[in-house]
Amino acid sequence: MAKTGLPADNVLKYIKENKIKFVDLKFMDFPGQWQHFTVPVSQFSASSFVDGYGFDGSSMRGWKVINESDMLIIPDPETLFLDPFIEAPTISLICDVYEPATKEKYSRCPRNIAQKANSYLLSTGLADTVYFGPEAEFFIFDDVRFDSTPNGSFYFVDSDEGRWNSGREENPNLGYKPRYKEGYFPVPPTDSLMDLRNDMVLNLENCGLEIEAQHHEVASGGQCEIDIKYQPLLKAADQLLMFKYIVKNTARMFNKTVTYMPKPIFGDNGSGMHVHVSLWKKGKPLFAGSGYAGLSEMALYFIGGILKHAPSLLAFTNPTTNSYKRLVPGFEAPVNLAYSQRNRSASVRIPMYSSSPKAKRVEFRCPDPSCNPYLAFSAVLMAGIDGVINRIDPGSPLDKDIYDMSPEELKDVPSTPPSLDAALDELKKDYEYLLKGDVFTEDVIETWIKYKIEKEIKPMALQPHPFEFGLYYDV
């Protein structure tokens, strides 16, 4: 059941001292979107952390059928933050999802899967903490329109920063628009989003997140990044959802819109989410050693697990059809499954900024911010643990610039799946490592694959594409 005692008492004390009027209860659906409902403080008490609140699980994507719809959410008192976007004083609490009949955590609740992944790590005795540091890139647009009907389909995004607007009449057009693939790191006025990102950082910090840096990213058209400090698995996933919520709502206050869609613009960089990972035990880092790039044997085996299972991992870390418009051979995202120090063209990189053992980590560069972080982080951990337990050799590092290598040189280097359906096919063949410790279940794997095929892949396959009209209308 949910934690009770002092943390819960602190929540009630905070409500009273800050004259809070509402409690917003947030939880994660199966694909990866925050859902919520709100209760007045008159309906919130210490018993809320034990009895929870009922809701209709059949209305959640990938969850219950209509005749088994009743479910419970129970708030985690340690996740409190004051919501800066709601007019009436409102706190938010992140919740776990339970079966009301058994009071057991729901097996398809993504947060439950992350909690089980952490428990499995502890059970192995390898480490007691895994840290995740995600770097989620995003676009800030000034306008977005899209539609898909039986007789038409289109999308349109726009940004005052977009290089495509260099010739637009703006009364006046001042010309400071980042060149394609050259948005990293111009100063203002070319970087026109400095004040907005600063406001985002202030809101993030006020909600309890520790921010390391903010900057413009490579693409023209408003691509940005804000780096949040690494945290243990569950907290890292919680904070990534808070991060997306706060960034989107801050942008909306400026009459702008944010998307974490991996590839919203053709011909420029997409948005990735490089994920930094390290294992610790009793306060000591376990990835520092005397091996390649200052890594320990454990770290190299962890990399071996990620590389071995990467084709199936991508079904969770890159879970949209749009994800694979970013993961294309010969372009900016790493598709070749290799590891290297410093080399940003490798799918697993060992950052070399610091010689401190505490800074030693591995960076998985394939993921993107469309993922469900509870599932993605858990899957990465499970792949890494499998590598350590089975001593999976990652092979030799690839320290060349992969983008400059010839096809002959690359023929023996495995690559990522070319599409979501290919990644799901890999998951069908390679998922035993995810079942250890009952972290992922057969039901979760099967439901994930079925949902993605029925709700995303098949509809996309049936829909005529606007670009096809240029290719084929005159046949």
Side-chain angles (χ1 to χ4, degrees), residues 203-255:
N203 283 334
L204 289 163
E205 289 182 330
N206 288 338
C207 290
L209 279 70
E210 187 172 348
I211 304 303
E212 295 183 331
Q214 61 93 339
H215 58 83
H216 205 285
E217 256 298 341
V218 175
S220 183
Q223 191 182 36
C224 296
E225 179 176 316
I226 299 174
D227 296 331
I228 52 180
K229 186 176 176 62
Y230 63 87
Q231 298 291 347
L233 189 158
L234 184 64
K235 189 171 184 180
D238 284 343
Q239 288 198 349
L240 183 59
L241 271 297
M242 290 174 62
F243 172 82
K244 294 173 78 170
Y245 175 78
I246 292 164
V247 167
K248 286 179 179 180
N249 279 283
T250 305
R252 193 175 187 278
M253 294 173 72
F254 282 71
N255 204 31

Side-chain angles (χ1 to χ4, degrees), residues 33-307:
Q33 292 286 330
W34 248 0
Q35 308 294 324
H36 82 126
F37 62 86
T38 309
V39 299
V41 291
S42 61
Q43 303 301 309
F44 191 86
S45 66
S47 64
S48 300
F49 296 102
V50 178
D51 299 329
Y53 297 86
F55 73 101
D56 178 6
S58 68
S59 298
M60 295 294 105
R61 298 180 298 171
W63 278 8
K64 292 288 190 175
V65 293
I66 193 71
N67 59 308
E68 298 176 347
S69 60
D70 289 352
M71 301 194 78
L72 283 176
I73 55 171
I74 298 180
D76 182 342
E78 296 185 357
T79 63
L80 179 150
F81 68 95
L82 181 66
D83 195 314
F85 306 108
I86 309 302
E87 183 176 350
T90 301
I91 61 166
S92 283
L93 291 167
I94 302 173
C95 302
D96 294 309
V97 182
Y98 287 78
E99 294 276 13
T102 63
K103 290 295 179 73
E104 293 180 353
K105 289 184 178 178
Y106 182 40
S107 62
R108 293 186 197 171
C109 172
R111 200 168 190 262
N112 177 32
I113 291 169
Q115 290 163 335
K116 290 193 292 182
N118 195 64
S119 296
Y120 176 65
L121 173 65
L122 290 171
S123 75
T124 65
L126 296 173
D128 55 34
T129 307
V130 57
Y131 286 110
F132 280 87
E135 299 175 348
E137 298 167 347
F138 55 94
F139 278 89
I140 302 173
F141 291 133
D142 291 281
D143 189 35
V144 55
R145 291 178 280 125
F146 51 89
D147 202 1
S148 184
T149 64
N151 68 318
S153 181
F154 82 98
Y155 74 89
F156 177 84
V157 296
D158 204 7
S159 165
D160 290 344
E161 278 198 355
R163 189 68 175 183
W164 56 84
N165 284 323
S166 61
R168 183 174 68 178
E169 182 60 58
E170 296 182 348
N171 301 309
N173 186 327
L174 301 179
Y176 294 111
K177 302 181 189 299
R179 287 178 285 272
Y180 298 111
K181 295 184 178 292
E182 294 187 23
Y184 189 89
F185 299 153
V187 298
T190 302
D191 176 6
S192 68
L193 299 167
M194 176 75 169
D195 287 335
L196 174 52
R197 290 197 308 273
N198 280 342
D199 268 39
M200 291 172 175
V201 169
L202 292 174
N203 283 334
L204 289 163
E205 289 182 330
N206 288 338
C207 290
L209 279 70
E210 187 172 348
I211 304 303
E212 295 183 331
Q214 61 93 339
H215 58 83
H216 205 285
E217 256 298 341
V218 175
S220 183
Q223 191 182 36
C224 296
E225 179 176 316
I226 299 174
D227 296 331
I228 52 180
K229 186 176 176 62
Y230 63 87
Q231 298 291 347
L233 189 158
L234 184 64
K235 189 171 184 180
D238 284 343
Q239 288 198 349
L240 183 59
L241 271 297
M242 290 174 62
F243 172 82
K244 294 173 78 170
Y245 175 78
I246 292 164
V247 167
K248 286 179 179 180
N249 279 283
T250 305
R252 193 175 187 278
M253 294 173 72
F254 282 71
N255 204 31
K256 294 181 184 287
T257 177
V258 161
T259 182
Y260 290 90
M261 187 176 177
K263 194 72 173 179
I265 293 177
F266 170 70
D268 212 332
N269 281 35
S271 292
M273 187 179 75
H274 307 147
V275 177
H276 299 254
V277 192
S278 62
L279 294 179
W280 291 57
K281 190 172 186 178
K282 296 181 179 178
K284 295 182 179 180
L286 301 179
F287 277 7
S290 56
Y292 172 79
L295 293 177
S296 65
E297 185 179 61
M298 175 184 281
L300 289 167
Y301 289 143
F302 195 94
I303 291 171
I306 290 177
L307 294 178

Side-chain angles (χ1 to χ4, degrees), residues 1 37 46 73 104 118 231 306 309 386 400 409 431 434:
M1 295 296 294
F37 62 86
I73 55 171
E104 293 180 353
N118 195 64
Q231 298 291 347
I306 290 177
H309 297 297
D386 188 63
K400 298 180 180 180
E409 290 176 296
Y431 63 86
L434 297 169

